[in-house]
mmCIF file of all heavy atoms in Angstrom:
data_model
loop_
_atom_site.group_PDB
_atom_site.id
_atom_site.type_symbol
_atom_site.label_atom_id
_atom_site.label_comp_id
_atom_site.label_asym_id
_atom_site.label_seq_id
_atom_site.Cartn_x
_atom_site.Cartn_y
_atom_site.Cartn_z
ATOM 1 N N SER A 353 13.924 18.048 -121.079
ATOM 2 C CA SER A 353 12.797 17.243 -121.044
ATOM 3 C C SER A 353 11.997 17.217 -119.752
ATOM 4 O O SER A 353 10.990 16.529 -119.580
ATOM 5 C CB SER A 353 13.223 15.791 -121.383
ATOM 6 O OG SER A 353 13.961 15.320 -120.253
ATOM 7 N N ARG A 354 12.431 17.972 -118.791
ATOM 8 C CA ARG A 354 11.736 18.079 -117.516
ATOM 9 C C ARG A 354 11.566 19.585 -117.195
ATOM 10 O O ARG A 354 12.297 20.442 -117.742
ATOM 11 C CB ARG A 354 12.463 17.338 -116.441
ATOM 12 C CG ARG A 354 13.833 17.911 -116.199
ATOM 13 C CD ARG A 354 14.601 17.032 -115.234
ATOM 14 N NE ARG A 354 15.966 17.489 -115.093
ATOM 15 C CZ ARG A 354 16.903 16.905 -114.325
ATOM 16 N NH1 ARG A 354 16.508 15.741 -113.730
ATOM 17 N NH2 ARG A 354 18.090 17.388 -114.243
ATOM 18 N N SER A 355 10.755 19.898 -116.315
ATOM 19 C CA SER A 355 10.596 21.309 -115.958
ATOM 20 C C SER A 355 11.854 21.857 -115.274
ATOM 21 O O SER A 355 12.542 21.088 -114.515
ATOM 22 C CB SER A 355 9.387 21.489 -115.078
ATOM 23 O OG SER A 355 9.566 20.850 -113.863
ATOM 24 N N ARG A 356 12.136 23.129 -115.478
ATOM 25 C CA ARG A 356 13.377 23.684 -114.820
ATOM 26 C C ARG A 356 13.275 25.171 -114.850
ATOM 27 O O ARG A 356 12.412 25.748 -115.569
ATOM 28 C CB ARG A 356 14.647 23.274 -115.582
ATOM 29 C CG ARG A 356 14.721 23.899 -116.994
ATOM 30 C CD ARG A 356 15.916 23.306 -117.768
ATOM 31 N NE ARG A 356 16.012 24.026 -119.028
ATOM 32 C CZ ARG A 356 16.679 23.578 -120.050
ATOM 33 N NH1 ARG A 356 17.301 22.488 -119.910
ATOM 34 N NH2 ARG A 356 16.769 24.253 -121.151
ATOM 35 N N PHE A 357 14.055 25.824 -114.130
ATOM 36 C CA PHE A 357 14.094 27.300 -114.016
ATOM 37 C C PHE A 357 15.409 27.739 -114.413
ATOM 38 O O PHE A 357 16.479 27.219 -114.002
ATOM 39 C CB PHE A 357 13.732 27.821 -112.610
ATOM 40 C CG PHE A 357 12.303 27.470 -112.169
ATOM 41 C CD1 PHE A 357 12.233 26.823 -110.951
ATOM 42 C CD2 PHE A 357 11.314 27.950 -112.825
ATOM 43 C CE1 PHE A 357 10.937 26.472 -110.480
ATOM 44 C CE2 PHE A 357 10.040 27.718 -112.378
ATOM 45 C CZ PHE A 357 9.863 26.873 -111.191
ATOM 46 N N ALA A 358 15.509 28.821 -115.249
ATOM 47 C CA ALA A 358 16.763 29.424 -115.624
ATOM 48 C C ALA A 358 17.372 30.029 -114.322
ATOM 49 O O ALA A 358 16.720 30.313 -113.378
ATOM 50 C CB ALA A 358 16.594 30.408 -116.767
ATOM 51 N N ALA A 359 18.670 30.386 -114.477
ATOM 52 C CA ALA A 359 19.324 31.005 -113.322
ATOM 53 C C ALA A 359 18.686 32.361 -113.037
ATOM 54 O O ALA A 359 18.598 32.675 -111.782
ATOM 55 C CB ALA A 359 20.827 31.184 -113.660
ATOM 56 N N HIS A 360 18.359 33.115 -114.013
ATOM 57 C CA HIS A 360 17.802 34.380 -113.680
ATOM 58 C C HIS A 360 16.337 34.276 -113.086
ATOM 59 O O HIS A 360 15.847 35.284 -112.474
ATOM 60 C CB HIS A 360 17.744 35.301 -114.949
ATOM 61 C CG HIS A 360 16.694 34.926 -115.983
ATOM 62 N ND1 HIS A 360 16.904 33.995 -116.934
ATOM 63 C CD2 HIS A 360 15.328 35.280 -116.077
ATOM 64 C CE1 HIS A 360 15.857 33.849 -117.650
ATOM 65 N NE2 HIS A 360 14.943 34.663 -117.206
ATOM 66 N N THR A 361 15.689 33.160 -113.317
ATOM 67 C CA THR A 361 14.327 33.008 -112.838
ATOM 68 C C THR A 361 14.285 33.044 -111.261
ATOM 69 O O THR A 361 13.413 33.592 -110.672
ATOM 70 C CB THR A 361 13.677 31.677 -113.320
ATOM 71 O OG1 THR A 361 13.760 31.586 -114.681
ATOM 72 C CG2 THR A 361 12.264 31.508 -112.776
ATOM 73 N N ALA A 362 15.239 32.497 -110.564
ATOM 74 C CA ALA A 362 15.285 32.547 -109.106
ATOM 75 C C ALA A 362 15.302 33.992 -108.651
ATOM 76 O O ALA A 362 14.505 34.345 -107.695
ATOM 77 C CB ALA A 362 16.486 31.792 -108.593
ATOM 78 N N ALA A 363 16.121 34.789 -109.269
ATOM 79 C CA ALA A 363 16.218 36.149 -108.827
ATOM 80 C C ALA A 363 14.986 36.928 -109.153
ATOM 81 O O ALA A 363 14.376 37.748 -108.378
ATOM 82 C CB ALA A 363 17.402 36.841 -109.452
ATOM 83 N N ASP A 364 14.425 36.799 -110.404
ATOM 84 C CA ASP A 364 13.199 37.478 -110.807
ATOM 85 C C ASP A 364 12.013 37.123 -109.893
ATOM 86 O O ASP A 364 11.207 37.942 -109.488
ATOM 87 C CB ASP A 364 12.898 37.084 -112.261
ATOM 88 C CG ASP A 364 13.818 37.787 -113.272
ATOM 89 O OD1 ASP A 364 14.776 38.452 -112.821
ATOM 90 O OD2 ASP A 364 13.708 37.584 -114.467
ATOM 91 N N ALA A 365 11.928 35.810 -109.640
ATOM 92 C CA ALA A 365 10.732 35.404 -108.795
ATOM 93 C C ALA A 365 10.841 35.869 -107.354
ATOM 94 O O ALA A 365 9.836 36.314 -106.765
ATOM 95 C CB ALA A 365 10.726 33.785 -108.773
ATOM 96 N N ALA A 366 12.076 35.901 -106.814
ATOM 97 C CA ALA A 366 12.232 36.346 -105.475
ATOM 98 C C ALA A 366 11.841 37.950 -105.410
ATOM 99 O O ALA A 366 11.256 38.436 -104.543
ATOM 100 C CB ALA A 366 13.686 36.215 -105.078
ATOM 101 N N PHE A 367 12.310 38.642 -106.369
ATOM 102 C CA PHE A 367 12.102 40.141 -106.476
ATOM 103 C C PHE A 367 10.516 40.341 -106.558
ATOM 104 O O PHE A 367 10.033 41.238 -105.797
ATOM 105 C CB PHE A 367 12.785 40.674 -107.756
ATOM 106 C CG PHE A 367 12.624 42.128 -107.961
ATOM 107 C CD1 PHE A 367 12.884 43.055 -106.980
ATOM 108 C CD2 PHE A 367 12.162 42.602 -109.121
ATOM 109 C CE1 PHE A 367 12.813 44.374 -107.186
ATOM 110 C CE2 PHE A 367 12.019 43.956 -109.392
ATOM 111 C CZ PHE A 367 12.356 44.843 -108.404
ATOM 112 N N VAL A 368 9.882 39.658 -107.448
ATOM 113 C CA VAL A 368 8.441 39.861 -107.559
ATOM 114 C C VAL A 368 7.739 39.430 -106.227
ATOM 115 O O VAL A 368 6.807 40.183 -105.887
ATOM 116 C CB VAL A 368 7.838 39.001 -108.701
ATOM 117 C CG1 VAL A 368 6.365 38.988 -108.803
ATOM 118 C CG2 VAL A 368 8.429 39.657 -110.076
ATOM 119 N N ALA A 369 8.117 38.373 -105.721
ATOM 120 C CA ALA A 369 7.471 37.891 -104.429
ATOM 121 C C ALA A 369 7.574 38.819 -103.343
ATOM 122 O O ALA A 369 6.536 39.125 -102.658
ATOM 123 C CB ALA A 369 8.089 36.489 -104.034
ATOM 124 N N VAL A 370 8.773 39.421 -103.187
ATOM 125 C CA VAL A 370 8.934 40.427 -102.064
ATOM 126 C C VAL A 370 8.206 41.696 -102.425
ATOM 127 O O VAL A 370 7.628 42.360 -101.563
ATOM 128 C CB VAL A 370 10.458 40.701 -101.910
ATOM 129 C CG1 VAL A 370 10.670 41.827 -100.809
ATOM 130 C CG2 VAL A 370 11.084 39.419 -101.352
ATOM 131 N N LEU A 371 8.182 42.106 -103.649
ATOM 132 C CA LEU A 371 7.322 43.292 -104.107
ATOM 133 C C LEU A 371 5.852 43.053 -103.767
ATOM 134 O O LEU A 371 5.194 43.944 -103.174
ATOM 135 C CB LEU A 371 7.471 43.482 -105.598
ATOM 136 C CG LEU A 371 8.493 44.383 -106.041
ATOM 137 C CD1 LEU A 371 8.640 44.434 -107.603
ATOM 138 C CD2 LEU A 371 8.191 45.927 -105.639
ATOM 139 N N LEU A 372 5.322 41.885 -104.106
ATOM 140 C CA LEU A 372 3.925 41.652 -103.862
ATOM 141 C C LEU A 372 3.626 41.720 -102.317
ATOM 142 O O LEU A 372 2.606 42.289 -101.907
ATOM 143 C CB LEU A 372 3.540 40.217 -104.350
ATOM 144 C CG LEU A 372 3.484 40.144 -105.836
ATOM 145 C CD1 LEU A 372 3.167 38.694 -106.321
ATOM 146 C CD2 LEU A 372 2.354 41.007 -106.451
ATOM 147 N N PHE A 373 4.477 41.041 -101.528
ATOM 148 C CA PHE A 373 4.201 41.124 -100.091
ATOM 149 C C PHE A 373 4.504 42.526 -99.435
ATOM 150 O O PHE A 373 3.908 42.767 -98.388
ATOM 151 C CB PHE A 373 5.018 39.941 -99.442
ATOM 152 C CG PHE A 373 4.317 38.685 -99.513
ATOM 153 C CD1 PHE A 373 4.662 37.842 -100.482
ATOM 154 C CD2 PHE A 373 3.339 38.317 -98.648
ATOM 155 C CE1 PHE A 373 4.127 36.592 -100.615
ATOM 156 C CE2 PHE A 373 2.686 37.055 -98.769
ATOM 157 C CZ PHE A 373 3.087 36.209 -99.684
ATOM 158 N N THR A 374 5.377 43.292 -99.997
ATOM 159 C CA THR A 374 5.602 44.552 -99.495
ATOM 160 C C THR A 374 4.446 45.481 -99.706
ATOM 161 O O THR A 374 4.010 46.180 -98.824
ATOM 162 C CB THR A 374 6.849 45.172 -100.163
ATOM 163 O OG1 THR A 374 7.963 44.328 -99.851
ATOM 164 C CG2 THR A 374 7.133 46.582 -99.675
ATOM 165 N N VAL A 375 3.882 45.573 -100.993
ATOM 166 C CA VAL A 375 2.742 46.470 -101.288
ATOM 167 C C VAL A 375 1.463 45.999 -100.533
ATOM 168 O O VAL A 375 0.619 46.878 -100.327
ATOM 169 C CB VAL A 375 2.544 46.575 -102.755
ATOM 170 C CG1 VAL A 375 3.818 47.090 -103.466
ATOM 171 C CG2 VAL A 375 2.164 45.201 -103.429
ATOM 172 N N THR A 376 1.312 44.780 -100.146
ATOM 173 C CA THR A 376 0.128 44.361 -99.528
ATOM 174 C C THR A 376 0.230 44.254 -97.968
ATOM 175 O O THR A 376 -0.713 43.996 -97.323
ATOM 176 C CB THR A 376 -0.341 42.889 -99.997
ATOM 177 O OG1 THR A 376 0.669 41.961 -99.748
ATOM 178 C CG2 THR A 376 -0.658 42.903 -101.540
ATOM 179 N N SER A 377 1.393 44.663 -97.511
ATOM 180 C CA SER A 377 1.658 44.597 -96.097
ATOM 181 C C SER A 377 0.998 45.726 -95.399
ATOM 182 O O SER A 377 0.743 46.911 -95.980
ATOM 183 C CB SER A 377 3.154 44.711 -95.833
ATOM 184 O OG SER A 377 3.383 44.831 -94.411
ATOM 185 N N ARG A 378 0.696 45.579 -94.103
ATOM 186 C CA ARG A 378 0.110 46.675 -93.263
ATOM 187 C C ARG A 378 1.188 47.663 -92.850
ATOM 188 O O ARG A 378 0.805 48.791 -92.303
ATOM 189 C CB ARG A 378 -0.538 46.019 -91.941
ATOM 190 C CG ARG A 378 -1.750 45.144 -92.202
ATOM 191 C CD ARG A 378 -2.151 44.535 -90.912
ATOM 192 N NE ARG A 378 -1.106 43.527 -90.431
ATOM 193 C CZ ARG A 378 -1.094 42.993 -89.260
ATOM 194 N NH1 ARG A 378 -2.175 43.262 -88.396
ATOM 195 N NH2 ARG A 378 -0.237 42.087 -88.954
ATOM 196 N N VAL A 379 2.501 47.392 -93.147
ATOM 197 C CA VAL A 379 3.600 48.223 -92.701
ATOM 198 C C VAL A 379 4.544 48.279 -93.944
ATOM 199 O O VAL A 379 4.891 47.308 -94.544
ATOM 200 C CB VAL A 379 4.266 47.683 -91.559
ATOM 201 C CG1 VAL A 379 5.513 48.656 -91.163
ATOM 202 C CG2 VAL A 379 3.410 47.562 -90.339
ATOM 203 N N ILE A 380 4.830 49.527 -94.337
ATOM 204 C CA ILE A 380 5.861 49.694 -95.394
ATOM 205 C C ILE A 380 6.880 50.719 -94.828
ATOM 206 O O ILE A 380 6.817 51.928 -95.135
ATOM 207 C CB ILE A 380 5.374 50.208 -96.772
ATOM 208 C CG1 ILE A 380 4.350 49.299 -97.312
ATOM 209 C CG2 ILE A 380 6.503 50.222 -97.755
ATOM 210 C CD1 ILE A 380 3.671 49.623 -98.671
ATOM 211 N N SER A 381 7.872 50.240 -93.977
ATOM 212 C CA SER A 381 8.817 51.186 -93.447
ATOM 213 C C SER A 381 9.922 51.499 -94.441
ATOM 214 O O SER A 381 10.070 50.714 -95.384
ATOM 215 C CB SER A 381 9.505 50.460 -92.241
ATOM 216 O OG SER A 381 8.549 50.234 -91.180
#
Side-chain angles (χ1 to χ4, degrees):
S353 68
R354 60 186 177 187
S355 62
R356 68 188 186 194
F357 296 122
H360 73 273
T361 304
D364 288 0
F367 181 54
V368 170
V370 176
L371 265 171
L372 289 172
F373 278 94
T374 298
V375 298
T376 60
S377 174
R378 295 173 294 171
V379 180
I380 306 181
S381 296

